[in-house]
């Protein structure tokens, strides 16, 4: 796919990994629909940065935990704004829980944001895509679905289901829409994490460093540009998955 002039909708695009992906798409020549929930100020800053790179940007607010109809996120585009041909499901929540202590409320909230919303967004994206155009979906997931977290039960289940959805959607939306995933490892320290915690995480990475946003962005662009890849989930771990 030639990215220049295409429109990409990215969820959670206001900050952290989402911001890096949004700006990489803008540098590649894409226009953006930038989704956010509560991070309005950060979204405006990211939008301004993307516009400085030459992108047209629309901001769309939505609480993904309450999403029942994703169609409006793809609709009512300004005159001359190209239809969405790229969907990046980046938004996620990372609550701490275990099987013995999880609550119905916490479980439901996590699955609504991390699984239900990406599924509804992919469905709405496919329905809104003009029949003469091809599209691509990239889901941001986590390699730890292969080696489950001890203290993030609902999150791990939601991302494992997102992996299965990625492969299933690749079959069901082919040949017009390709669907792939990026399974992240240690990219950025969690907000509020201590230096000691992050050093312990990096000690498990053979490359002995964090991936950062640039490596995720480069992988995203590769998956979008290569028209013969679908149903793949690329592990971006610095080799951590080799130490299972």
């Amino acid at each position: 796919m030639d990215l220049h002039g295409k429109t990409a909708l990215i969820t959670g695009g206001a900050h952290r990994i989402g911001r890096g992906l949004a700006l990489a798409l803008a540098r590649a020549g894409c226009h953006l629909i930038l989704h956010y929930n509560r991070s309005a100020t950060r979204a405006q800053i990211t939008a301004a940065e993307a516009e400085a790179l030459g992108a047209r940007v629309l901001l769309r607010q939505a609480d993904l935990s309450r999403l029942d109809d994703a169609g409006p996120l793809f609709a009512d585009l300004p005159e001359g704004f190209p239809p969405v041909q790229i969907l990046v499901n980046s938004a996620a929540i990372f609550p701490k829980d275990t099987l013995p202590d999880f609550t119905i409320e916490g479980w439901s909230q996590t699955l609504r944001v991390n699984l239900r919303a990406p599924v509804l967004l992919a469905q709405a994206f496919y329905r809104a895509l003009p029949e003469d155009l091809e599209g691509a979906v990239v889901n941001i997931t986590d390699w730890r679905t292969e080696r489950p977290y001890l203290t993030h039960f609902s999150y791990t289940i939601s991302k494992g289901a997102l992996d299965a959805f990625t492969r299933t959607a690749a079959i069901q939306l082919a040949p017009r829409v390709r669907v792939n995933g990026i399974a992240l490892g240690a990219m950025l320290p969690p907000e509020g994490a201590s230096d000691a915690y992050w050093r312990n995480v990096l000690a498990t990475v053979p490359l002995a460093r964090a991936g950062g946003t640039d490596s995720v962005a480069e992988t995203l662009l590769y998956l979008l540009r290569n028209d013969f890849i679908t149903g793949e989930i690329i592990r971006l771990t610095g080799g951590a998955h080799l130490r299972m």
Side-chain angles (χ1 to χ4, degrees), residues 7-210:
T7 296
L9 189 155
I10 177 167
T11 66
H15 59 103
R16 292 176 62 81
I17 294 293
R19 171 183 172 274
L21 298 181
L23 295 180
L25 289 167
R27 290 189 194 95
C30 290
H31 305 300
L32 302 177
I33 298 178
L34 198 64
H35 158 267
Y36 69 96
N37 182 17
R38 293 188 296 266
S39 304
T41 299
R42 288 181 175 181
Q44 290 165 358
I45 292 171
T46 301
E49 292 174 319
E51 288 170 342
L53 295 169
R56 296 179 67 184
V57 183
L58 298 180
L59 292 176
R60 294 278 166 96
Q61 190 279 334
D63 181 350
L64 297 185
S65 71
R66 298 175 179 270
L67 189 70
D68 291 321
D69 179 8
L73 290 170
F74 299 89
D76 299 324
L77 302 183
E79 184 176 353
F81 206 97
V84 179
Q85 288 184 255
I86 297 165
L87 168 64
V88 182
N89 284 309
S90 177
I93 57 176
F94 188 59
K96 203 170 185 179
D97 63 0
T98 66
L99 179 55
D101 68 19
F102 83 91
T103 65
I104 291 295
E105 293 77 13
W107 162 268
S108 298
Q109 174 87 351
T110 304
L111 264 68
R112 284 196 299 266
V113 174
N114 293 2
L115 176 63
R116 186 172 183 267
V119 170
L120 292 176
L121 283 155
Q123 180 190 60
F125 167 66
Y126 185 79
R127 289 175 173 175
L129 184 68
E131 292 185 1
D132 61 335
L133 296 179
E134 295 184 345
V137 178
V138 177
N139 296 318
I140 305 302
T141 181
D142 193 315
W143 83 272
R144 293 293 298 269
T145 59
E146 302 176 31
R147 185 180 179 183
Y149 291 99
L150 294 177
T151 56
H152 297 281
F153 171 73
S154 297
Y155 169 85
T156 304
I157 298 301
S158 70
K159 289 295 189 178
L162 185 63
D163 291 349
F165 169 67
T166 298
R167 299 184 181 99
T168 303
I171 291 293
Q172 299 207 354
L173 301 186
R176 203 154 59 89
V177 171
R178 297 181 300 109
V179 185
N180 293 291
I182 306 174
L184 302 185
M187 314 313 295
L188 298 173
E191 292 182 321
S194 68
D195 290 343
Y197 167 84
W198 192 234
R199 285 196 299 271
N200 287 336
V201 170
L202 296 184
T204 69
V205 179
L207 294 186
R209 56 185 171 84

